[in-house]
């Protein structure tokens, strides 16, 4: 599927589905050419939480068309900012509800959420792996 975030100038970024994030041999090559949908999380528009993760680097090197830097400015999103997902022939709009910085071992984001949600995940601060930024969104009604 693909993901667009107009505020960040991200337009139809490819998302590879069902990627295991605990296997570097699998996820590192994927993140060079796409965003990644965490295996076992929900799919867009279905009940549960779709988890999508991507790279961030130092903000001076941000380029919304480069998958190595694509999620660098996620922290500039605000509540109600839209995120569009194209899944097959359908288009869905999610709305940002909030964000949180957590320890990399905090896996609660992978658990089921009530409703149709999507969480975007990247490293925080950009370019470092010390924490994770979680951006929580909900499917617009």
């Amino acid at each position: 599927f693909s993901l667009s975030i107009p505020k960040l100038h991200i337009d139809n970024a490819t998302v590879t589905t069902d990627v295991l994030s605990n296997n570097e041999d699998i996820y590192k090559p994927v993140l060079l050419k796409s965003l990644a949908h965490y295996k076992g999380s929900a799919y867009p528009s279905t009940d549960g939480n779709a988890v999508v993760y991507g790279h961030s680097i130092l903000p001076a090197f941000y380029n919304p068309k480069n998958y190595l830097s694509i999620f660098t400015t996620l922290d500039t999103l605000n509540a109600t900012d839209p995120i569009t997902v194209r899944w097959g022939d359908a288009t869905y709009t999610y709305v940002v509800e909030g964000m949180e910085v957590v320890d990399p071992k905090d896996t609660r984001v992978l658990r089921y959420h009530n409703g149709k949600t999507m969480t975007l995940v990247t490293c925080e601060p950009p370019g470092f792996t010390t924490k994770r930024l979680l951006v929580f969104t909900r499917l617009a009604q």
Side-chain angles (χ1 to χ4, degrees), residues 15-44:
V15 182
T16 300
T17 57
D18 298 323
V19 179
L20 282 173
S21 72
N22 60 353
N23 184 334
E24 278 192 41
D25 293 337
I26 295 173
Y27 81 83
K28 280 199 172 189
V30 168
L31 290 176
L32 294 175
K33 59 184 171 63
S34 73
L35 296 169
H37 164 264
Y38 188 80
K39 184 176 180 137
S41 69
Y43 294 108

Side-chain angles (χ1 to χ4, degrees), residues 13-82:
T14 300
V15 182
T16 300
T17 57
D18 298 323
V19 179
L20 282 173
S21 72
N22 60 353
N23 184 334
E24 278 192 41
D25 293 337
I26 295 173
Y27 81 83
K28 280 199 172 189
V30 168
L31 290 176
L32 294 175
K33 59 184 171 63
S34 73
L35 296 169
H37 164 264
Y38 188 80
K39 184 176 180 137
S41 69
Y43 294 108
S45 84
T46 63
D47 281 331
N49 186 35
V51 177
V52 176
Y53 56 99
H55 274 300
S56 65
I57 61 175
L58 295 173
F61 302 107
Y62 175 63
N63 176 349
K65 295 180 183 355
N66 183 339
Y67 288 103
L68 288 176
S69 68
I70 194 163
F71 273 1
T72 297
T73 59
L74 275 184
D75 65 344
T76 66
L77 292 173
N78 296 309
T80 74
D81 283 339

Side-chain angles (χ1 to χ4, degrees), residues 77-97:
L77 292 173
N78 296 309
T80 74
D81 283 339
I83 296 171
T84 304
V85 171
R86 290 179 56 200
W87 177 259
D89 293 332
T91 300
Y92 303 99
T93 300
Y94 287 78
V95 178
V96 173
E97 291 191 320

